[in-house]
C-alpha cells in the first residue's frame, strides 16, 4: 500500500500558506482542476496536508464509513462554532442517538402539513410583488425561507423585529463561514470587526432560540410543529437536553433558510437564461395547478419543476465542500491514510466532472429523465451528502423549492438587470453575487389560495 506522501499534491502551493490563497481567490477552479492530478490529491492547508477524494467511489467510501471518516476538519470545526454540536456537525459517537430523535420530525407523514405552510408563505410572497419591481433575489428569498422555517418550527411565530434580526444573524454567520474556514489560528481569535460581528451574531441567535425553548418548556408544549416534536422526542426515557435542542434548532434554521433560498435564486437565474426550459415549466405549472395554489401533492406531478431544481443543485449545490477526519489508520484509493488526517469531498468537484456529466457547465434539466442516456453514475450526485449522515431534511427542502418555484412561475417571470454572468460569492454556501432581477407579470389574476 502506498504512503500518504505518494499522493500527488496539487500544484501552486506557497510556503507556509500552501493552497490557502488559491482557495480564497477561486476555490471552484482549484477544485475542478484536481481530478487531472489523480483520484486522491493532496492540498496544503496552511501547515498541514488535507486529502481530497475526486471520484464517486472514493467519495461514497468516505460518506458511508462515518465511523472511520468522522465529522471534523477545518470546515466542520468552524461550523461547530456557529451551529453547535447538532445532528449535522456532531461526531459519530453522538450522531446515532441524535438522528433517532430528530428524524421523526421529517417523516413523510408530516410533509403534507409542512407543504401547506410552504404554500401559504410562497403565495404571500408572490402576491406582494408588483409589475416592474426590482428584487434583490437572495434577500427576498431569504425572507420567504426564514418565514417558512419559523412557521413550521415555531408555529406561534416570532415578532417581526426578532425574525429580521435572526435572518441578519444567519447571513452574518454564513457569509463569514468561508472566510473563517481559511483563517488560520490565531487570526480567527483576533478582535477584528469581522470576528466581533461573527461572535455577536452567534450569541444573539443562540439567545433567541434559547428563549423560545425556555418558553416552550414553561408552557408545556401543545403545538404541532418541529420544535414540539423535538421537545417530545424520546430515546428510551431520555430526550434532548436544552443545549441539544438549541443546536438542532439553529442547524435547521441555518440549513433550512440559506440553502433553499440560494437554490431558488440560482433556479430563477438559470430559467431566465434558458427561455425554452422556462416556457415548458410555465406550461407544466399552468396545467397542474389550474389556477390553484401549489400543494404538497402537486410536487410529484410537477416533474419538470423537480428536474429544474435538481439540475440547479447539480450546477451550484449550496453545500460545495465538506471535511471529515480519519479516526484510525485506513486505506483510501490504495494509499495508507493515518489517523487524524483531514479528508475533503466536494459536491462541486463531482458535479462538474466531464466524464460523469457530459457538458457539465450546461443547464440541462432533462439529463435527469429516466430515459436519458447516459444516466448520471451511481454516487455522482451528492447535493445532500450520503450514508448515515445524509441531510435529514432533504425532502423538506426539495418540496419547499418546488412549491415556491411553482407559485412564482404561475404568476411571474424574472429577468436579470444585467446581461453579465452572475458569479458565485465565496461564502458558507454557493450563493449568487448581487443577483437583481425585474419582475414581469405572466397573468394579472392572483393565484387562488386552495
Amino acid at each position: 500500500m502506498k504512503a500518504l506522501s505518494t499522493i500527488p499534491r496539487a500544484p501552486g502551493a506557497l510556503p507556509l500558506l500552501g493552497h490557502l490563497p488559491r482557495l480564497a481567490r477561486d476555490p471552484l477552479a482549484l477544485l475542478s482542476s484536481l481530478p487531472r492530478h489523480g483520484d486522491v490529491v493532496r492540498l496544503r492547508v496552511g501547515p498541514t496536508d488535507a486529502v481530497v477524494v475526486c471520484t464517486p467511489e472514493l467519495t461514497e467510501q468516505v460518506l458511508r464509513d462515518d465511523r472511520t471518516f468522522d465529522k471534523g476538519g477545518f470546515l466542520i470545526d468552524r461550523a461547530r462554532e456557529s451551529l453547535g454540536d447538532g445532528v449535522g456537525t456532531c461526531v459519530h459517537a453522538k450522531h446515532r442517538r441524535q438522528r433517532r430523535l430528530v428524524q421523526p420530525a421529517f417523516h413523510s407523514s408530516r410533509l403534507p402539513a409542512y407543504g401547506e405552510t410552504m404554500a401559504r408563505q410562497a403565495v404571500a410572497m408572490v402576491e406582494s410583488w408588483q409589475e416592474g419591481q426590482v428584487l434583490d433575489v437572495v434577500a427576498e428569498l431569504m425572507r420567504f425561507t426564514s418565514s417558512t422555517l419559523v412557521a413550521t418550527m415555531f408555529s406561534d411565530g416570532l415578532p417581526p423585529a426578532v425574525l429580521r434580526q435572526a435572518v441578519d444573524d444567519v447571513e452574518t454567520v454564513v457569509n463569514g463561514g468561508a472566510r473563517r474556514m481559511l483563517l488560520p489560528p490565531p487570526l480567527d481569535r483576533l478582535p477584528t470587526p469581522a470576528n466581533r460581528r461573527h461572535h455577536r451574531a452567534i450569541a444573539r441567535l443562540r439567545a433567541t432560540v434559547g428563549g423560545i425553548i425556555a418558553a416552550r418548556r414553561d408552557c408545556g408544549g401543545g403545538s404541532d410543529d418541529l420544535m414540539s416534536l423535538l421537545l417530545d422526542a424520546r430515546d428510551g426515557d431520555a430526550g434532548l437536553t436544552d443545549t441539544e435542542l438549541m443546536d438542532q434548532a439553529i442547524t435547521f434554521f441555518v440549513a433550512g433558510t440559506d440553502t433553499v433560498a440560494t437554490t431558488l435564486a440560482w433556479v430563477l437565474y438559470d430559467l431566465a437564461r434558458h427561455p425554452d426550459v422556462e416556457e415548458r415549466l410555465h406550461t407544466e405549472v399552468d396545467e397542474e395547478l389550474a389556477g390553484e395554489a401549489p400543494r404538497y401533492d402537486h410536487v410529484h406531478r410537477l416533474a419538470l419543476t423537480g428536474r429544474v431544481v435538481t439540475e440547479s443543485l447539480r450546477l451550484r449545490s449550496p453545500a460545495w465542500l465538506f471535511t471529515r477526519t480519519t479516526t484510525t489508520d485506513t486505506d483510501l484509493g490504495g494509499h495508507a491514510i493515518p489517523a487524524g488526517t483531514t479528508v475533503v469531498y466536494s459536491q462541486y468537484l463531482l458535479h462538474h466532472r466531464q466524464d460523469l456529466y457530459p457538458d457539465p457547465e450546461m443547464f440541462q434539466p432533462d439529463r435527469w429523465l429516466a430515459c436519458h442516456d447516459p444516466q448520471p453514475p451511481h454516487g455522482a450526485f451528492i447535493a445532500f451528502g450520503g450514508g448515515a449522515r445524509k441531510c435529514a431534511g432533504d425532502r423538506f427542502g426539495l418540496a419547499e423549492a418546488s412549491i415556491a418555484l411553482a407559485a412564482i412561475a404561475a404568476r411571474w417571470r424574472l429577468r436579470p438587470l444585467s446581461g453579465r454572468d452572475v458569479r458565485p460569492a465565496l461564502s458558507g454556501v454557493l450563493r449568487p453575487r448581487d443577483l437583481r432581477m425585474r419582475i414581469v407579470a405572466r397573468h394579472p389574476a392572483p393565484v387562488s389560495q386552495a
Side-chain angles (χ1 to χ4, degrees):
M1 190 182 300
K2 300 175 185 177
L4 178 65
S5 60
T6 65
I7 297 175
R9 180 180 286 165
L14 300 177
L16 299 179
L17 295 176
H19 292 96
L20 284 175
R22 290 188 67 191
L23 280 168
R25 186 172 61 251
D26 195 349
L28 303 182
L30 175 59
L31 290 169
S32 295
S33 73
L34 297 183
R36 296 199 296 269
H37 304 292
D39 293 346
V40 186
V41 181
R42 280 186 297 160
L43 284 181
R44 193 76 175 168
V45 184
T48 61
D49 273 339
V51 173
V52 186
V53 290
C54 300
T55 70
E57 295 79 15
L58 293 176
T59 303
E60 185 172 29
Q61 178 185 344
V62 171
L63 292 173
R64 292 201 174 278
D65 187 2
D66 62 318
R67 185 185 297 272
T68 301
F69 301 95
D70 205 351
K71 283 292 180 93
F74 54 86
L75 186 144
I76 293 297
D77 292 344
R78 292 301 191 200
R80 286 193 184 109
E81 294 178 352
S82 309
L83 306 180
D85 212 19
V87 69
T89 53
C90 67
V91 296
H92 175 272
K94 299 180 180 179
H95 177 255
R96 295 300 189 265
R97 172 181 172 273
Q98 290 197 26
R99 184 73 178 222
R100 283 195 300 271
L101 290 166
V102 165
Q103 192 65 55
F106 296 99
H107 191 272
S108 58
S109 63
R110 304 202 60 82
L111 291 176
Y114 296 151
E116 290 182 12
T117 301
M118 295 168 186
R120 283 196 301 273
Q121 298 291 336
V123 169
M125 174 179 66
V126 300
E127 289 186 344
S128 72
W129 294 353
Q130 302 293 324
E131 170 74 20
Q133 179 182 350
V134 174
L135 290 181
D136 179 337
V137 176
V138 173
E140 179 72 6
L141 293 172
M142 276 292 292
R143 283 190 285 271
F144 158 69
T145 56
S146 59
S147 296
T148 301
L149 199 282
V150 166
T152 52
M153 179 170 283
F154 316 121
S155 57
D156 48 356
L158 292 177
V162 175
L163 177 58
R164 283 195 300 272
Q165 184 63 67
V167 171
D168 288 345
D169 290 337
V170 169
E171 292 279 275
T172 299
V173 168
V174 172
N175 288 342
R179 179 188 57 80
R180 290 183 62 79
M181 177 181 74
L182 302 177
L183 200 62
L187 298 180
D188 60 320
R189 294 189 292 274
L190 293 177
T192 63
N195 285 341
R196 289 200 298 269
R197 282 196 302 272
H198 180 83
H199 292 299
R200 282 198 301 266
I202 292 172
R204 273 194 305 263
L205 201 55
R206 295 187 76 82
T208 298
V209 174
I212 294 169
I213 292 170
R216 284 293 184 89
R217 294 278 199 205
D218 290 343
C219 72
S223 299
D224 186 26
D225 54 21
L226 268 168
M227 180 54 69
S228 294
L229 290 170
L230 294 177
L231 282 164
D232 293 340
R234 290 290 180 272
D235 184 24
D237 294 330
L240 293 165
T241 66
D242 281 359
T243 299
E244 288 175 329
L245 277 167
M246 185 182 301
D247 291 346
Q248 310 308 338
I250 291 175
T251 296
F252 295 160
F253 196 89
V254 173
T257 55
D258 219 308
T259 56
V260 178
T262 297
T263 297
L264 279 168
W266 283 121
V267 165
L268 294 172
Y269 174 68
D270 286 328
L271 287 173
R273 300 204 308 163
H274 296 84
D276 55 331
V277 179
E278 183 185 52
E279 193 60 38
R280 290 170 55 204
L281 177 76
H282 288 160
T283 299
E284 175 180 86
V285 167
D286 290 347
E287 291 176 352
E288 294 296 338
L289 298 189
E292 296 183 348
R295 302 183 304 274
Y296 180 74
D297 61 3
H298 284 123
V299 171
H300 75 279
R301 288 151 41 193
L302 294 167
L304 176 59
T305 304
R307 295 199 303 275
V308 164
V309 172
T310 300
E311 177 66 350
S312 202
L313 280 169
R314 182 196 66 80
L315 267 175
R316 307 176 200 85
S317 178
W320 54 282
L321 177 144
F322 275 105
T323 58
R324 297 282 179 96
T325 301
T326 54
T327 57
T328 186
D329 296 348
T330 190
D331 167 66
L332 191 60
H335 297 275
I337 308 296
T341 301
T342 295
V343 178
V344 177
Y345 67 92
S346 168
Q347 290 86 340
Y348 189 90
L349 185 157
L350 283 191
H351 295 173
H352 287 257
R353 284 192 59 148
Q354 174 78 35
D355 57 333
L356 302 179
Y357 295 97
D359 300 316
E361 305 306 319
M362 298 294 292
F363 177 70
Q364 297 177 346
D366 287 346
R367 72 170 81 235
W368 300 102
L369 284 167
C371 61
H372 187 269
D373 186 28
Q375 283 284 296
H378 174 74
F381 182 73
I382 56 166
F384 298 100
R389 305 301 294 256
K390 186 179 180 183
C391 175
D394 55 348
R395 289 179 298 174
F396 182 103
L398 285 171
E400 184 176 7
S402 293
I403 287 170
L405 179 56
I408 293 168
R411 287 286 311 279
W412 308 103
R413 291 182 173 88
L414 273 72
R415 293 291 176 261
L417 294 189
S418 169
R420 297 192 306 268
D421 286 347
V422 173
R423 296 184 59 80
L426 179 61
S427 174
V429 297
L430 204 61
R431 62 168 48 168
R433 187 192 304 273
D434 193 27
L435 176 58
R436 296 180 181 274
M437 303 183 79
R438 190 178 304 279
I439 299 171
V440 180
R442 288 191 62 224
H443 302 300
V447 176
S448 63
Q449 181 69 54

